[in-house]
Amino acid sequence: MKSDHESWLLTPAEMGRADHAAARSGIDSFGLMEKAGQAVAAAALRLLPGALRFVVLCGPGNNGGDGYVAARALADAGAEVAVFRLGDPAQLKGDAATAFARCAIAGEALDRYEPRPGDAIIDAIFGAGLDRPVPEAVAAVIDKVGAQGLPVIAVDLPSGLDGRTGRVLGAAFEACHTVTFMARKPGHVLMPGRRLCGPVEVYDIGIPQRIVAAEAGPAGLNTPAAWAALLPQAEPEAHKFRRGHLTVFSGPATATGAGRLSAAAGLQAGAGLVTIASPTDALEPNAAQLTAVMLKPVEDLVALSAYLDDPRHNAFVLGPGFGVGAKARHFALALHDRRVVLDADGITSFRDDASALFAAFATGETRLVLTPHEGEFARLFPDIAGDGTLSKIDMALAAAARSHGVVVYKGPDTVIAAPDGRALVNTNAPPSLATAGSGDVLAGMIGGLLAQGMPAFEAAAAGVWHHGEAASRAGRGLNAEELIRHIEL
C-alpha cells in the first residue's frame, strides 16, 4: 500500500510528523504553506467563478495561515475578499504569523460575519487536527452559512470534523469541495466525514514522498494497487477443480434465496465449481432454481463431515438465510480447517460465545472472513463497538486481531482489516447497494476468490471493490440478481 501514494491515508498525527520531518530536512515550511494557500485560492477561482465575494474564515493555527495566504492570492487575482478570524492574531506563531503579516486585508472577528448573497466561504478555521467540540462562535457561523446554503471550500478538512474518525465534533461545515495536502486523512473517507467533504482534491505541496511514506500507517484506500497482483489468473492448463470449489450453505425451504445469490456470485467471481449444501426440505426449491450451481444434501454434522472428506471442498460461505442458532455454530466450527466467509446469521449465531469461533481459527494461515454490518459487528464485538474513542478503522483492526480473521466492517465506508494490522477503506460503493441481497452477493464474491486461492485479506478487499464497481455498472435501479450480472473480475 505504501508504494501507491494515491492510496495513502494519514491520520492527523501522522501527517503532523511528516510536516515536522520535512522542516527538519531543511525544506522551507513557509514555502509549503504558501503552496497550500495558493492551491486553495486556485480551487476557489476555478470552482466558484460566480462568487461575488470570497469570505475567508481563519483559525488560530497553521490552517488559518493557509487561509491568510489564500486570501492574499484571491485579492491579487482581483476578487473581492473579506477575512474573519477566530482568536487574537497577535497570538499567531511561526508560519501562520508570517502569513498573517503578509496579508494586507483588514480582518474582523469571526462573530462579526453576516452572510451576503453571493458569498463563497473558504473554511480555514481548524482543518484536520481538531479533537474537541467546536467553540460556540464557530458553531454559530456554521449555522449561518448552512442556513443560507452558501458554498464552502474547506482547507484540509471541513472545520468541526475529526480528521481521525470522520465524526462531527458538535457542528461542522458541509463543503462543496475540500483541498487537502499530500495525502487523504481518515476523516475524508469515513462517514459522515466523506459526505461533508464533497470531492477531495489532494494537492502535492512538495513534501518528498519518502518522508510521507515513512510516517504512513497501515491503513489506506482500497484500490486495485493493493491486491491486483494476487487476483487469480486463468491458466491454459486450468480445470474446474484447479479454480477451486466454493460451497454455500442454504437455509431452510422458506429461506433459500440468499444462499443462491451467494452461490451465483461465487461462480461469477471465478470459482471453478460451486455447490449449494442444502437441508433436505430445501432440496426441491433449490433444484428448481439452479443450473450451473450444483446441489448436495447436507442435513447435519454427520453429512457435513462426510462432505469434508473431500479436500477439494476448500472454501465455504455460511450465514446468508441459514438461520441463527446451534446448527450454524456447529457447522462453522466443523469448518475450522477450511477457508470460510461467515456472514449474516452465521455471525449472529456466535454473539454469546464468540471466543469459541475465534479459537477455532486461531492458528495457521488467516482463513476466516467475517462480513458484519454495524448491528452484527456490535453483537460479536460489543466492547469494541461501544468504545466511542475508536474510529471505524480502529474498531475493524481490533476485531480482526481478536478474531484471527479478516473483518469486512460493512457500510458506505466499508473497512477491510487483517489480523496483521493492515486496513483498507472502500470508497467506490454507490448508495444503490443499500438493497436486499447485496450483502449475500458480496459474501459469495469473497468466497469465490478464496476458493481460487487468493489470500483472505486481498480476497476480501478485491471482493468489496469489485462489488462497488458492479453496482456502478448496474445503475440506480439495481437489485441483487442484476448486480451479479455486472460482476467483472
Side-chain angles (χ1 to χ4, degrees):
M1 284 184 284
K2 288 187 178 183
S3 63
D4 176 22
H5 67 279
E6 293 184 359
S7 72
W8 285 335
L9 281 180
L10 270 71
T11 65
E14 290 164 350
M15 194 66 235
R17 291 195 294 270
D19 289 338
H20 291 141
R24 290 195 303 272
S25 75
I27 294 172
D28 174 20
S29 59
F30 183 75
L32 300 177
M33 181 173 284
E34 181 73 20
K35 290 178 183 176
Q38 292 282 349
V40 171
L45 293 169
R46 181 179 76 249
L47 296 170
L48 302 173
L52 301 182
R53 179 176 70 156
F54 289 102
V55 176
V56 185
L57 310 178
C58 294
N62 282 346
N63 199 251
D66 296 339
Y68 288 117
V69 172
R72 170 167 50 86
L74 287 166
D76 289 346
E80 181 180 348
V81 182
V83 173
F84 293 87
R85 57 182 182 260
L86 177 67
D88 181 0
Q91 301 298 314
L92 292 171
K93 298 178 181 178
D95 295 331
T98 302
F100 172 75
R102 295 187 182 186
C103 180
I105 301 167
E108 298 183 69
L110 185 67
D111 58 10
R112 298 289 300 277
Y113 173 58
E114 293 298 332
R116 294 183 196 169
D119 278 356
I121 309 300
I122 309 296
D123 165 28
I125 302 177
F126 288 124
L130 187 70
D131 59 1
R132 63 191 183 281
V134 296
E136 288 185 11
V138 175
V141 170
I142 290 171
D143 286 344
K144 288 179 183 178
V145 169
Q148 297 296 319
L150 300 176
V152 176
I153 290 181
V155 181
D156 199 20
L157 199 77
S159 292
L161 278 183
D162 185 330
R164 184 178 64 85
T165 68
R167 298 188 186 113
V168 174
L169 297 169
F173 284 108
E174 182 171 352
C176 65
H177 189 79
T178 294
V179 183
T180 194
F181 313 108
M182 300 310 301
R184 286 174 175 82
K185 318 305 182 292
H188 292 127
V189 297
L190 296 175
M191 297 296 284
R194 190 170 88 207
R195 177 178 58 81
L196 295 174
C197 287
V200 177
E201 174 184 346
V202 181
Y203 189 82
D204 186 341
I205 56 174
I207 299 176
Q209 288 187 11
R210 60 178 172 79
I211 291 178
V212 182
E215 299 298 339
L221 290 180
N222 186 22
T223 70
W227 40 260
L230 294 171
L231 274 174
Q233 301 295 319
E235 299 175 356
E237 67 275 20
H239 54 75
K240 59 189 178 183
F241 279 107
R242 182 169 288 185
R243 292 180 62 191
H245 190 148
L246 174 65
T247 302
V248 178
F249 290 98
S250 170
T254 55
T256 59
R260 286 197 301 273
L261 287 172
S262 292
L267 196 64
Q268 191 75 7
L273 291 161
V274 179
T275 295
I276 284 187
S278 173
T280 305
D281 71 336
L283 287 171
E284 185 174 341
N286 275 320
Q289 299 289 332
L290 298 177
T291 49
V293 173
M294 298 182 295
L295 185 62
K296 177 75 173 179
V298 178
E299 182 70 46
D300 53 27
L301 278 174
V302 173
L304 178 57
S305 178
Y307 187 77
L308 293 175
D309 284 341
D310 188 341
R312 295 177 299 182
H313 299 151
N314 63 323
F316 294 80
V317 173
L318 173 61
F322 190 80
V324 175
K327 182 178 178 180
R329 293 193 298 275
H330 294 153
F331 272 37
L333 297 177
L335 300 171
H336 64 90
D337 60 346
R338 308 300 164 99
R339 314 183 101 207
V340 179
V341 179
L342 197 67
D343 183 45
D345 292 346
I347 292 172
T348 301
S349 293
F350 283 94
R351 61 187 166 194
D352 296 323
D353 191 15
S355 60
L357 173 68
F358 304 156
F361 289 86
T363 59
E365 68 161 356
T366 301
R367 56 197 182 278
L368 174 65
V369 179
L370 301 166
T371 56
H373 57 54
E374 187 175 19
E376 291 160 350
F377 187 95
R379 291 176 203 135
L380 209 56
F381 307 100
D383 57 326
I384 297 173
D387 187 338
T389 68
L390 300 177
S391 72
K392 190 170 183 178
I393 296 170
D394 298 331
M395 288 190 284
L397 283 169
R402 180 181 298 175
S403 65
H404 312 291
V406 173
V407 172
V408 179
Y409 192 174
K410 294 187 295 192
D413 52 354
T414 293
V415 177
I416 307 100
D420 62 11
R422 292 176 293 165
L424 295 169
V425 182
N426 199 70
T427 60
N428 74 336
S432 54
L433 271 176
T435 187
S438 67
D440 306 321
V441 172
L442 175 61
M445 292 175 69
I446 297 171
L449 293 170
L450 288 176
Q452 296 171 80
M454 198 172 185
F457 177 68
E458 286 80 6
V464 169
W465 190 86
H466 279 289
H467 190 242
E469 291 297 289
S472 295
R473 285 189 289 269
R476 293 182 60 185
L478 76 84
N479 56 42
E481 292 92 337
E482 185 70 15
L483 180 62
I484 292 168
R485 287 191 282 272
H486 286 85
I487 295 170
E488 297 178 7
L489 274 81

